[in-house]
Amino acid sequence: MKKNCFFIAVFTCALCFTHGCSQSGHNAATIRLGYLQNDLHHLPAFVALEQGFYENEGLHVSIGGVFRAGPEEMSAFAAGELDAGYVGLAPAATAALNGIADITILAQVNTEGSGLVCRGTITSIKQLPGTTVAIPGHATMQDCLIQKGLQDNGISTRDLRLMVLKPPEMMPAVSTGNIDCFIAWEPYPAQAEAAGTGAVIARSSELWKGHPCCVLIAHDRFARNRPDAAAKLIRAHRHACRFIAEHPDEALSIALRYTGMPPATIRKAMDHIRYAPDIDREKIDTFTGFLSDLNYVSPARGKGQLNFFTED
C-alpha cells in the first residue's frame, strides 16, 4: 500500500498528555524528554527517571510530552518542543529523511518487541487477506513489520484493510469485532493475551528477526549546542539498560508504575524485548532502505538526512 500523502496528516499536530510541551517559559538548561504512552520499549527512560540516572549525570530532565504514536512525537520535534526522546526508528527516520524534523540518533533502545494479535480462528499471516488489521500509524515500526510479514508471505496490502488506531484503542476494537487483528508494541500484545481478547500469531522476531526498533534521539540543535549533555544522556541510557538486565525485578516494578498493567502481563511482555543501546548502522541502513521501498521516504519530498551522534 503506497502512502503518498500521509506525511502532512500525521506530522501536523502532536497530542501531548502531560504539561510542559510549550516552549514558552522554557528553561534552556532543562532537557525536554518525550516518549510513547505505555510503551515498554521505553523502559530505559522510566528507569533513568526513577533511579536518578539523569541527576547523577548532572542533567535536569523534564517530561516534554507523552504521545500515543511515533508520528505525533516527531511532530513535537518538528515544532521544536522536545530536546530528546524515545521513539521508533521508522517514524524518526521518516521525519528526518523527508526533511520534516532535524534529529540526531544518540543510541539504540531495543530490538524486536512487537506482536501481531488476532481474534477467532486466525492463526497465521496467510489468513489475513480479507481481514481488517490495525496499526498505530503509517510509517510506524509496526506498520513496517506487518508489511514485511505480508511481503514475505506473498500477500499484497490491497488484499486486506490496514487502518490506524492508537494502541489503547486496539484491544477494545478486537473484542467488539470492529477489527480482526492489530499489531502493537509490548505490553499491548501481552495484555490482549492475558485478557483472552486475542492470541499473538506472530512476534516481531518472526516478522523481521533482530530488527532495530526504538531509538533515543535528540533535536539537531540540542546535539550541536549541548554535546556534553547529549553524551550524558547516552551514559544515563546505557546505565538504565544495564540496570534492566541486572535488576529485572526492580525494573519490573518501575514498568508497573508507568503502565498500570498486572505483573504477569509485564513480565511476559519483557520476555520478548531485548534492550540493546549499541547502534547497528548496517541494520539501520537496511531498515531505511525498506522505508524507501514502501515509498515512505523519498529525496523528492525533502533534503533531510539521518544524523548519528559521535563523541569527540
Side-chain angles (χ1 to χ4, degrees), residues 4 9 30 34 84 109 113 117 131 137 150 230 232 267 294:
N4 293 318
T30 299
V109 178
V117 176
T131 66
L150 292 173
K232 290 176 180 179
R267 184 172 284 108
L294 293 178

Side-chain angles (χ1 to χ4, degrees), residues 20-247:
C21 292
S22 174
Q23 282 191 307
S24 59
H26 167 57
N27 182 346
T30 299
I31 299 172
R32 299 163 299 173
L33 182 75
Y35 56 81
L36 300 189
Q37 181 185 18
N38 289 347
D39 193 338
L40 201 55
H41 298 178
H42 299 176
L43 181 57
F46 311 153
V47 168
L49 288 165
E50 292 288 317
Q51 294 296 307
F53 294 158
Y54 296 129
E55 289 88 343
N56 292 346
E57 294 289 344
L59 300 175
H60 180 210
V61 173
S62 68
I63 305 306
V66 181
F67 304 89
R68 295 187 301 174
E72 292 176 350
E73 184 171 345
M74 295 315 300
S75 177
F77 272 100
E81 295 172 345
L82 292 175
D83 299 306
Y86 285 72
V87 69
L89 172 60
T94 299
L97 293 173
N98 286 311
I100 294 168
D102 300 323
I103 57 99
T104 295
I105 294 180
L106 302 182
Q108 185 173 265
V109 178
N110 70 297
T111 61
E112 303 174 353
S114 297
L116 174 62
V117 176
C118 294
R119 67 186 185 95
T121 59
I122 302 172
T123 59
S124 77
I125 291 179
K126 293 187 180 296
Q127 295 174 272
L128 292 185
T131 66
T132 298
V133 180
I135 57 176
H138 299 297
T140 58
M141 294 301 303
Q142 291 71 31
D143 178 21
C144 292
L145 288 169
I146 187 63
Q147 297 218 43
K148 179 71 162 57
L150 292 173
Q151 286 185 13
D152 289 348
N153 283 274
I155 301 171
S156 169
T157 51
R158 294 188 295 272
D159 297 332
L160 64 153
R161 181 187 178 207
L162 288 180
M163 66 176 293
V164 173
L165 280 179
K166 302 313 176 189
E169 303 166 355
M170 290 177 173
M171 197 167 79
V174 167
S175 63
T176 57
N178 290 329
I179 62 174
D180 300 292
C181 307
F182 71 80
I183 183 167
W185 56 76
E186 290 287 7
Y188 290 106
Q191 182 189 36
E193 286 199 317
T197 303
V200 175
I201 69 164
R203 299 197 179 275
S204 58
S205 57
E206 301 165 83
L207 297 171
W208 194 333
K209 185 174 178 58
H211 71 86
C213 189
C214 287
V215 286
L216 171 60
I217 64 173
H219 196 286
D220 278 350
R221 182 178 59 247
F222 175 84
R224 285 194 311 268
N225 296 341
R226 300 182 63 188
D228 289 346
K232 290 176 180 179
L233 274 178
I234 296 171
R235 286 201 294 271
H237 169 64
R238 287 183 176 279
H239 195 173
C241 290
R242 288 196 301 271
F243 182 93
I244 294 169
E246 296 169 2
H247 306 279

Side-chain angles (χ1 to χ4, degrees), residues 245-268:
E246 296 169 2
H247 306 279
D249 291 338
E250 291 178 64
L252 175 67
S253 296
I254 293 171
L256 297 178
R257 289 198 290 275
Y258 279 80
T259 65
M261 295 184 189
T265 298
I266 297 300
R267 184 172 284 108
K268 181 176 182 179

